[in-house]
Amino acid sequence: MAVKVVAYSTLVLRILTLLLLAASAVYMFLNTYKIDGSKTSWKDLKTYRFVFATAVIGVFYLLIQIPFAVYYACTGKRLIRHSCLPEFDFYADKLVSYLLASAVGAGIAASMELKIIIDDVVALIAFIFEALNSNVDLGINLYEFKSKTDKFLDRGIIATILLAVGFGFMVVISILSSLNRPRSRNFFR
């Protein structure tokens, strides 16, 4: 009975994680804005490319794992009946979890830092132009730039938060996969 609960829990969590990582990848992929004909997209920030790539890697990994999880949940048996599969699940789940954790940290940190930098630069430029009483046209509206950039970074944060929730589920999957590892090692016998 406990094996069935772990198998069903793992299956449900893998599906939920797949949906969250796919949503994160799509949301990041659609993250663009345009000012005066100049287009900025998620591809322009290396950190966002890393977040996107990590989400895609996670989606592919889960697409490979879900059929095995479905079979195990339905039959109570492994599709490949060898002790290497539970070991692979355990270590691969750990690896994907760590990869997701690094992308979450990078995505949140870069977004928050860029928001602070943009705010400071816009405030500094506005202060300089006010102090000089300059009517020089920069060719761009600073406040429109700040507004659109903040929305762009906020969407990056949302995509990263979706990835963070997927990471949380992946950690639970990793714990559950440790329960399925072979109990007896006999390394020293």
Side-chain angles (χ1 to χ4, degrees):
M1 181 64 177
V3 172
K4 280 282 195 188
V5 171
V6 170
Y8 284 124
S9 300
T10 302
L11 176 61
V12 169
L13 286 171
R14 285 193 192 279
I15 291 170
L16 288 174
T17 306
L18 173 70
L19 294 173
L20 284 164
L21 297 185
S24 174
V26 168
Y27 203 71
M28 185 62 80
F29 185 78
L30 298 174
N31 191 8
T32 61
Y33 73 93
K34 201 183 257 190
I35 293 181
D36 295 334
S38 176
K39 183 177 177 183
T40 301
S41 77
W42 61 276
K43 296 175 196 172
D44 296 329
L45 284 136
K46 289 181 181 179
T47 305
Y48 284 177
R49 285 188 279 177
F50 178 61
V51 170
F52 176 77
T54 301
V56 170
I57 289 168
V59 165
F60 282 130
Y61 171 71
L62 289 165
L63 286 174
I64 291 168
Q65 283 289 335
I66 285 176
F68 291 102
V70 167
Y71 185 84
Y72 185 56
C74 291
T75 65
K77 298 176 185 175
R78 295 279 183 179
L79 186 60
I80 299 172
R81 294 186 178 101
H82 192 277
S83 65
C84 71
L85 190 60
E87 290 292 315
F88 174 79
D89 289 346
F90 176 72
Y91 290 112
D93 289 344
K94 294 278 187 216
L95 180 69
V96 171
S97 295
Y98 295 148
L99 185 64
L100 292 174
S102 65
V104 167
I108 294 290
S111 297
M112 299 307 287
E113 285 296 317
L114 282 172
K115 282 182 81 113
I116 292 169
I117 290 169
I118 295 294
D119 289 346
D120 291 346
V121 167
V122 167
L124 178 65
I125 292 171
F127 174 76
I128 290 171
F129 278 96
E130 283 179 22
L132 297 175
N133 286 329
S134 177
N135 290 330
V136 175
D137 183 23
L138 294 175
I140 188 171
N141 182 342
L142 282 178
Y143 298 105
E144 178 189 8
F145 169 76
K146 181 183 177 317
S147 172
K148 288 190 175 186
T149 303
D150 280 346
K151 287 179 185 175
F152 172 76
L153 295 172
D154 287 341
R155 287 190 297 265
I157 290 171
I158 291 169
T160 306
I161 288 172
L162 291 170
L163 197 71
V165 176
F167 160 69
F169 286 160
M170 200 65 206
V171 167
V172 175
I173 291 168
S174 177
I175 292 168
L176 292 175
S177 68
S178 71
L179 299 174
N180 287 330
R181 292 176 71 202
R183 305 289 184 248
S184 171
R185 296 296 177 145
N186 297 330
F187 282 132
F188 299 109
R189 292 184 192 178

